PDB file of all heavy atoms in Angstrom:
ATOM      1  N   LYS A   1       0.846  -1.187   0.000  1.00  0.00           N
ATOM      2  CA  LYS A   1       0.000   0.000   0.000  1.00  0.00           C
ATOM      3  C   LYS A   1       0.880   1.235   0.000  1.00  0.00           C
ATOM      4  O   LYS A   1       1.806   1.339   0.809  1.00  0.00           O
ATOM      5  CB  LYS A   1      -0.917   0.018   1.224  1.00  0.00           C
ATOM      6  CG  LYS A   1      -1.853   1.226   1.288  1.00  0.00           C
ATOM      7  CD  LYS A   1      -2.789   1.134   2.463  1.00  0.00           C
ATOM      8  CE  LYS A   1      -3.773   2.305   2.466  1.00  0.00           C
ATOM      9  NZ  LYS A   1      -4.635   2.316   1.264  1.00  0.00           N
ATOM     10  N   ALA A   2       0.609   2.172  -0.882  1.00  0.00           N
ATOM     11  CA  ALA A   2       1.355   3.415  -0.968  1.00  0.00           C
ATOM     12  C   ALA A   2       0.614   4.506  -0.214  1.00  0.00           C
ATOM     13  O   ALA A   2      -0.595   4.692  -0.404  1.00  0.00           O
ATOM     14  CB  ALA A   2       1.534   3.824  -2.435  1.00  0.00           C
ATOM     15  N   VAL A   3       1.329   5.211   0.649  1.00  0.00           N
ATOM     16  CA  VAL A   3       0.739   6.303   1.427  1.00  0.00           C
ATOM     17  C   VAL A   3       1.686   7.490   1.354  1.00  0.00           C
ATOM     18  O   VAL A   3       2.842   7.393   1.763  1.00  0.00           O
ATOM     19  CB  VAL A   3       0.525   5.897   2.904  1.00  0.00           C
ATOM     20  CG1 VAL A   3      -0.142   7.036   3.667  1.00  0.00           C
ATOM     21  CG2 VAL A   3      -0.310   4.628   3.012  1.00  0.00           C
ATOM     22  N   THR A   4       1.217   8.610   0.854  1.00  0.00           N
ATOM     23  CA  THR A   4       2.065   9.790   0.777  1.00  0.00           C
ATOM     24  C   THR A   4       2.178  10.442   2.157  1.00  0.00           C
ATOM     25  O   THR A   4       1.202  10.554   2.891  1.00  0.00           O
ATOM     26  CB  THR A   4       1.523  10.809  -0.234  1.00  0.00           C
ATOM     27  OG1 THR A   4       0.178  11.138   0.102  1.00  0.00           O
ATOM     28  CG2 THR A   4       1.567  10.238  -1.640  1.00  0.00           C
ATOM     29  N   ALA A   5       3.373  10.855   2.500  1.00  0.00           N
ATOM     30  CA  ALA A   5       3.617  11.483   3.792  1.00  0.00           C
ATOM     31  C   ALA A   5       4.947  12.205   3.747  1.00  0.00           C
ATOM     32  O   ALA A   5       5.850  11.835   2.993  1.00  0.00           O
ATOM     33  CB  ALA A   5       3.631  10.436   4.901  1.00  0.00           C
ATOM     34  N   ASP A   6       5.064  13.227   4.576  1.00  0.00           N
ATOM     35  CA  ASP A   6       6.315  13.969   4.722  1.00  0.00           C
ATOM     36  C   ASP A   6       6.844  13.685   6.122  1.00  0.00           C
ATOM     37  O   ASP A   6       6.248  14.099   7.120  1.00  0.00           O
ATOM     38  CB  ASP A   6       6.062  15.463   4.539  1.00  0.00           C
ATOM     39  CG  ASP A   6       7.349  16.282   4.502  1.00  0.00           C
ATOM     40  OD1 ASP A   6       8.368  15.818   5.059  1.00  0.00           O
ATOM     41  OD2 ASP A   6       7.328  17.387   3.929  1.00  0.00           O
ATOM     42  N   ALA A   7       7.965  12.973   6.197  1.00  0.00           N
ATOM     43  CA  ALA A   7       8.506  12.573   7.495  1.00  0.00           C
ATOM     44  C   ALA A   7       8.911  13.764   8.351  1.00  0.00           C
ATOM     45  O   ALA A   7       9.006  13.640   9.578  1.00  0.00           O
ATOM     46  CB  ALA A   7       9.707  11.648   7.294  1.00  0.00           C
ATOM     47  N   GLY A   8       9.138  14.908   7.742  1.00  0.00           N
ATOM     48  CA  GLY A   8       9.547  16.083   8.493  1.00  0.00           C
ATOM     49  C   GLY A   8       8.395  16.889   9.058  1.00  0.00           C
ATOM     50  O   GLY A   8       8.612  17.894   9.736  1.00  0.00           O
ATOM     51  N   VAL A   9       7.173  16.455   8.801  1.00  0.00           N
ATOM     52  CA  VAL A   9       5.978  17.150   9.292  1.00  0.00           C
ATOM     53  C   VAL A   9       5.240  16.202  10.233  1.00  0.00           C
ATOM     54  O   VAL A   9       4.660  15.207   9.780  1.00  0.00           O
ATOM     55  CB  VAL A   9       5.059  17.573   8.127  1.00  0.00           C
ATOM     56  CG1 VAL A   9       3.809  18.276   8.648  1.00  0.00           C
ATOM     57  CG2 VAL A   9       5.813  18.476   7.156  1.00  0.00           C
ATOM     58  N   PRO A  10       5.267  16.454  11.528  1.00  0.00           N
ATOM     59  CA  PRO A  10       4.699  15.500  12.493  1.00  0.00           C
ATOM     60  C   PRO A  10       3.274  15.056  12.187  1.00  0.00           C
ATOM     61  O   PRO A  10       2.971  13.856  12.232  1.00  0.00           O
ATOM     62  CB  PRO A  10       4.787  16.276  13.817  1.00  0.00           C
ATOM     63  CG  PRO A  10       5.967  17.163  13.649  1.00  0.00           C
ATOM     64  CD  PRO A  10       5.929  17.592  12.208  1.00  0.00           C
ATOM     65  N   ASP A  11       2.392  15.994  11.873  1.00  0.00           N
ATOM     66  CA  ASP A  11       0.997  15.613  11.606  1.00  0.00           C
ATOM     67  C   ASP A  11       0.894  14.711  10.383  1.00  0.00           C
ATOM     68  O   ASP A  11       0.047  13.808  10.336  1.00  0.00           O
ATOM     69  CB  ASP A  11       0.141  16.862  11.393  1.00  0.00           C
ATOM     70  CG  ASP A  11      -0.105  17.629  12.684  1.00  0.00           C
ATOM     71  OD1 ASP A  11       0.170  17.072  13.767  1.00  0.00           O
ATOM     72  OD2 ASP A  11      -0.574  18.782  12.608  1.00  0.00           O
ATOM     73  N   SER A  12       1.757  14.924   9.400  1.00  0.00           N
ATOM     74  CA  SER A  12       1.719  14.134   8.170  1.00  0.00           C
ATOM     75  C   SER A  12       2.121  12.689   8.428  1.00  0.00           C
ATOM     76  O   SER A  12       1.426  11.757   8.023  1.00  0.00           O
ATOM     77  CB  SER A  12       2.637  14.759   7.114  1.00  0.00           C
ATOM     78  OG  SER A  12       2.688  13.966   5.944  1.00  0.00           O
ATOM     79  N   ILE A  13       3.242  12.493   9.112  1.00  0.00           N
ATOM     80  CA  ILE A  13       3.709  11.125   9.340  1.00  0.00           C
ATOM     81  C   ILE A  13       2.809  10.394  10.321  1.00  0.00           C
ATOM     82  O   ILE A  13       2.536   9.196  10.166  1.00  0.00           O
ATOM     83  CB  ILE A  13       5.190  11.120   9.802  1.00  0.00           C
ATOM     84  CG1 ILE A  13       5.764   9.714   9.783  1.00  0.00           C
ATOM     85  CG2 ILE A  13       5.367  11.743  11.153  1.00  0.00           C
ATOM     86  CD1 ILE A  13       5.874   9.087   8.422  1.00  0.00           C
ATOM     87  N   ALA A  14       2.290  11.089  11.329  1.00  0.00           N
ATOM     88  CA  ALA A  14       1.396  10.451  12.295  1.00  0.00           C
ATOM     89  C   ALA A  14       0.096  10.026  11.623  1.00  0.00           C
ATOM     90  O   ALA A  14      -0.397   8.909  11.845  1.00  0.00           O
ATOM     91  CB  ALA A  14       1.115  11.403  13.456  1.00  0.00           C
ATOM     92  N   ALA A  15      -0.457  10.900  10.783  1.00  0.00           N
ATOM     93  CA  ALA A  15      -1.703  10.570  10.097  1.00  0.00           C
ATOM     94  C   ALA A  15      -1.513   9.413   9.122  1.00  0.00           C
ATOM     95  O   ALA A  15      -2.375   8.531   8.997  1.00  0.00           O
ATOM     96  CB  ALA A  15      -2.227  11.802   9.362  1.00  0.00           C
ATOM     97  N   ALA A  16      -0.380   9.406   8.428  1.00  0.00           N
ATOM     98  CA  ALA A  16      -0.124   8.331   7.460  1.00  0.00           C
ATOM     99  C   ALA A  16      -0.015   6.979   8.153  1.00  0.00           C
ATOM    100  O   ALA A  16      -0.575   5.974   7.683  1.00  0.00           O
ATOM    101  CB  ALA A  16       1.152   8.639   6.688  1.00  0.00           C
ATOM    102  N   LEU A  17       0.701   6.924   9.265  1.00  0.00           N
ATOM    103  CA  LEU A  17       0.853   5.645   9.971  1.00  0.00           C
ATOM    104  C   LEU A  17      -0.444   5.231  10.646  1.00  0.00           C
ATOM    105  O   LEU A  17      -0.743   4.023  10.757  1.00  0.00           O
ATOM    106  CB  LEU A  17       1.988   5.751  10.985  1.00  0.00           C
ATOM    107  CG  LEU A  17       3.386   5.765  10.360  1.00  0.00           C
ATOM    108  CD1 LEU A  17       4.439   6.147  11.393  1.00  0.00           C
ATOM    109  CD2 LEU A  17       3.719   4.405   9.749  1.00  0.00           C
ATOM    110  N   ALA A  18      -1.250   6.191  11.086  1.00  0.00           N
ATOM    111  CA  ALA A  18      -2.571   5.852  11.623  1.00  0.00           C
ATOM    112  C   ALA A  18      -3.449   5.260  10.529  1.00  0.00           C
ATOM    113  O   ALA A  18      -4.210   4.303  10.766  1.00  0.00           O
ATOM    114  CB  ALA A  18      -3.215   7.098  12.224  1.00  0.00           C
ATOM    115  N   GLN A  19      -3.331   5.808   9.323  1.00  0.00           N
ATOM    116  CA  GLN A  19      -4.083   5.261   8.189  1.00  0.00           C
ATOM    117  C   GLN A  19      -3.654   3.832   7.889  1.00  0.00           C
ATOM    118  O   GLN A  19      -4.497   2.960   7.616  1.00  0.00           O
ATOM    119  CB  GLN A  19      -3.869   6.139   6.959  1.00  0.00           C
ATOM    120  CG  GLN A  19      -4.570   5.627   5.699  1.00  0.00           C
ATOM    121  CD  GLN A  19      -4.217   6.439   4.460  1.00  0.00           C
ATOM    122  OE1 GLN A  19      -3.702   7.566   4.554  1.00  0.00           O
ATOM    123  NE2 GLN A  19      -4.475   5.886   3.289  1.00  0.00           N
ATOM    124  N   VAL A  20      -2.360   3.584   7.946  1.00  0.00           N
ATOM    125  CA  VAL A  20      -1.856   2.227   7.718  1.00  0.00           C
ATOM    126  C   VAL A  20      -2.459   1.261   8.728  1.00  0.00           C
ATOM    127  O   VAL A  20      -2.933   0.178   8.376  1.00  0.00           O
ATOM    128  CB  VAL A  20      -0.317   2.209   7.807  1.00  0.00           C
ATOM    129  CG1 VAL A  20       0.196   0.766   7.807  1.00  0.00           C
ATOM    130  CG2 VAL A  20       0.296   2.982   6.653  1.00  0.00           C
ATOM    131  N   SER A  21      -2.458   1.632   9.986  1.00  0.00           N
ATOM    132  CA  SER A  21      -3.002   0.759  11.033  1.00  0.00           C
ATOM    133  C   SER A  21      -4.491   0.520  10.822  1.00  0.00           C
ATOM    134  O   SER A  21      -4.985  -0.603  10.998  1.00  0.00           O
ATOM    135  CB  SER A  21      -2.752   1.377  12.416  1.00  0.00           C
ATOM    136  OG  SER A  21      -1.376   1.449  12.685  1.00  0.00           O
ATOM    137  N   ASP A  22      -5.225   1.579  10.453  1.00  0.00           N
ATOM    138  CA  ASP A  22      -6.671   1.448  10.251  1.00  0.00           C
ATOM    139  C   ASP A  22      -7.008   0.550   9.070  1.00  0.00           C
ATOM    140  O   ASP A  22      -7.953  -0.235   9.117  1.00  0.00           O
ATOM    141  CB  ASP A  22      -7.298   2.832  10.027  1.00  0.00           C
ATOM    142  CG  ASP A  22      -7.309   3.683  11.287  1.00  0.00           C
ATOM    143  OD1 ASP A  22      -7.148   3.112  12.389  1.00  0.00           O
ATOM    144  OD2 ASP A  22      -7.464   4.910  11.164  1.00  0.00           O
ATOM    145  N   GLU A  23      -6.236   0.653   7.995  1.00  0.00           N
ATOM    146  CA  GLU A  23      -6.573  -0.036   6.754  1.00  0.00           C
ATOM    147  C   GLU A  23      -5.870  -1.379   6.578  1.00  0.00           C
ATOM    148  O   GLU A  23      -6.372  -2.246   5.852  1.00  0.00           O
ATOM    149  CB  GLU A  23      -6.249   0.866   5.563  1.00  0.00           C
ATOM    150  CG  GLU A  23      -7.067   2.158   5.558  1.00  0.00           C
ATOM    151  CD  GLU A  23      -6.747   3.061   4.379  1.00  0.00           C
ATOM    152  OE1 GLU A  23      -5.926   2.660   3.524  1.00  0.00           O
ATOM    153  OE2 GLU A  23      -7.319   4.159   4.318  1.00  0.00           O
ATOM    154  N   MET A  24      -4.728  -1.571   7.241  1.00  0.00           N
ATOM    155  CA  MET A  24      -3.973  -2.808   7.056  1.00  0.00           C
ATOM    156  C   MET A  24      -3.829  -3.623   8.336  1.00  0.00           C
ATOM    157  O   MET A  24      -3.600  -4.822   8.286  1.00  0.00           O
ATOM    158  CB  MET A  24      -2.579  -2.494   6.501  1.00  0.00           C
ATOM    159  CG  MET A  24      -2.579  -1.767   5.176  1.00  0.00           C
ATOM    160  SD  MET A  24      -0.892  -1.411   4.570  1.00  0.00           S
ATOM    161  CE  MET A  24      -0.357  -3.044   4.058  1.00  0.00           C
TER     162      MET A  24
END
């Protein structure tokens, strides 16, 4: 699964990994 995120932006990386947990 591809998820776009910017590791240097806390809200971006946190939201992306939360999405991974929710969907996978």
Side-chain angles (χ1 to χ4, degrees):
K1 181 176 183 62
V3 182
T4 55
D6 187 336
V9 179
D11 288 347
S12 176
I13 191 65
L17 287 169
Q19 178 186 343
V20 170
S21 296
D22 289 343
E23 298 180 3
M24 301 180 73

